[in-house]
């Protein structure tokens, strides 16, 4: 297993993310940390982190300028040496059993090209979520009608040899674009019914590239248009997916408003 982490001005969070990978009950063969032109000392922090782990386990790459998470992930993908790749963002963390459980599923069903799982939001200091048995694996239907994405980026393990990459021209919804291309091209995608990774801030509306809900919505609209141009979505599928996407956007705006109102009352 190769683990790819795009890093942009993440000096305060990357050590915890790396520690969650090092603490896996089935550790990966390598981690690839890609500094996305941070220009603030992040690259030096990554190199210092690498020195604290066994030689060669962490490989550090630096991009000369900030080009967005797609280019950073693609660079890591290009240099990955293992048949399976997992993705982690520098401010998220993994459950200690994540890779073990995912590899058990993939070993049992090699036809799966992409395997995801659930995520939660919790403080960085909180213990890992409890596993909920029995563990179940469900194959994801080959359409885009889910109100909520079944493929959070930090949950993904995929085959390195898939003929797709992140769209380097997209700074938002680039992960949605890639997962949709894989799913709609007929590759077998599945999901485990366990919370095996955590966000440590709300996954939308809380800052960063995902903080601008309107921009995120328009990026998703543009992805669906691109999928239609690529003949991966028919007209009817595109319309239904668009309506579901609009409902999801409205839901996120409502949840964000409630969350911000609550913080205002607490202030």
């Amino acid at each position: 297993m190769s683990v790819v982490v795009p890093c942009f001005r993440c000096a305060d969070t990357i050590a915890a993310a790396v520690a969650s990978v090092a603490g896996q009950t089935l550790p990966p063969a390598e981690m690839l940390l890609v500094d996305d032109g941070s220009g603030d000392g992040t690259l030096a922090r990554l190199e210092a982190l690498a020195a604290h782990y066994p030689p060669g386990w962490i490989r550090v790459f630096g991009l000369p300028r900030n080009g967005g998470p797609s280019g950073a992930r693609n660079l890591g993908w290009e240099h990955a040496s293992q048949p399976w790749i997992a993705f982690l963002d520098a401010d998220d963390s993994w459950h200690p059993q994540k890779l073990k459980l995912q590899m058990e599923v993939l070993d049992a069903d090699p036809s799966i090209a992409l395997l995801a799982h659930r995520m939660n939001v919790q403080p960085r200091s909180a213990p890992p979520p409890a596993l909920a048995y029995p563990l179940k694996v469900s194959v994801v239907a080959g359409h885009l009608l889910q109100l909520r994405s079944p493929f959070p980026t930090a949950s993904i393990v995929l085959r390195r040899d898939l003929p797709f990459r992140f769209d380097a021209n997209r700074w938002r919804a680039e992960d949605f674009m890639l997962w949709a291309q894989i799913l709609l091209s007929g590759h077998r995608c599945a999901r485990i019914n366990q919370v095996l990774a955590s966000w440590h801030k709300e996954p939308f509306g809380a800052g960063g590239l995902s903080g601008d809900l309107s921009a995120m919505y328009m990026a998703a609209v543009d992805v669906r248009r691109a999928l239609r141009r690529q003949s991966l979505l028919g007209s009817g599928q595109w319309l239904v997916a668009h309506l579901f996407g609009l409902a999801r956007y409205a839901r996120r705006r409502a949840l964000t408003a409630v969350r911000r109102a609550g913080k205002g009352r607490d202030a």
Side-chain angles (χ1 to χ4, degrees):
M1 176 75 69
S2 298
V3 178
V4 173
V5 186
C7 303
F8 180 69
R9 299 183 178 178
C10 63
D12 293 337
T13 62
I14 186 60
V18 170
S20 78
V21 178
Q24 292 293 300
T25 56
L26 179 65
E30 62 180 1
M31 284 195 72
L32 299 97
L33 307 181
V34 183
D35 176 54
D36 186 19
S38 298
D40 68 343
T42 291
L43 182 58
R45 176 63 173 143
L46 301 184
E47 292 170 340
L49 259 180
H52 283 284
Y53 289 92
W57 186 66
I58 293 180
R59 300 163 62 195
V60 176
F61 301 87
L63 291 170
R65 61 184 63 85
N66 179 228
S70 290
R73 292 188 187 116
N74 286 342
L75 180 64
W77 193 332
E78 175 185 345
H79 288 277
S81 65
Q82 301 300 303
W84 295 97
I85 297 177
F87 297 97
L88 176 64
D89 286 339
D91 52 358
D92 299 333
S93 64
W94 283 349
H95 189 286
Q97 299 225 43
K98 169 196 162 70
L99 294 184
K100 175 179 180 293
L101 294 177
Q102 287 188 290
M103 288 311 302
E104 287 176 351
V105 171
L106 294 170
D107 287 342
D109 186 352
S111 69
I112 295 174
L114 180 152
L115 181 62
H117 54 69
R118 295 165 53 204
M119 290 184 64
N120 73 344
V121 179
Q122 67 175 44
R124 200 175 301 278
S125 58
L131 298 178
Y133 290 99
L135 184 146
K136 297 181 181 179
V137 180
S138 57
V139 175
V140 178
H143 55 64
L144 299 184
L145 304 188
Q146 294 90 352
L147 185 60
R148 301 180 65 181
S149 172
F151 300 142
T153 300
S155 78
I156 297 297
V157 170
L158 54 71
R159 289 205 324 257
R160 186 191 63 184
D161 62 359
L162 286 172
F164 304 95
R165 290 298 183 269
F166 294 94
D167 185 342
N169 294 317
R170 297 181 185 275
W171 286 56
R172 293 181 172 91
E174 77 290 339
D175 48 356
F176 170 42
M177 178 74 175
L178 179 60
W179 316 146
Q181 287 176 315
I182 294 171
L183 178 69
L184 297 175
S185 295
H187 292 278
R188 187 174 171 86
C189 301
R191 190 169 184 251
I192 300 176
N193 68 332
Q194 303 291 326
V195 176
L196 299 177
S198 298
W199 293 291
H200 302 299
K201 63 179 182 180
E202 294 294 335
F204 56 87
L209 289 176
S210 63
D212 188 333
L213 290 178
S214 296
M216 287 293 294
Y217 170 69
M218 292 308 301
V221 169
D222 188 63
V223 164
R224 288 191 288 270
R225 288 173 178 158
L227 294 171
R228 187 179 179 188
R229 289 194 300 268
Q230 295 170 17
S231 300
L232 293 174
L233 279 180
S235 297
Q237 293 172 310
W238 174 85
L239 178 59
V240 174
H242 177 72
L243 293 174
F244 269 76
L246 184 60
R248 185 184 186 197
Y249 170 60
R251 177 178 178 274
R252 285 184 165 186
R253 287 194 68 88
L255 289 173
T256 300
V258 170
R259 187 167 67 234
R260 288 173 178 172
K263 288 183 179 179
R265 288 194 297 269
D266 293 340

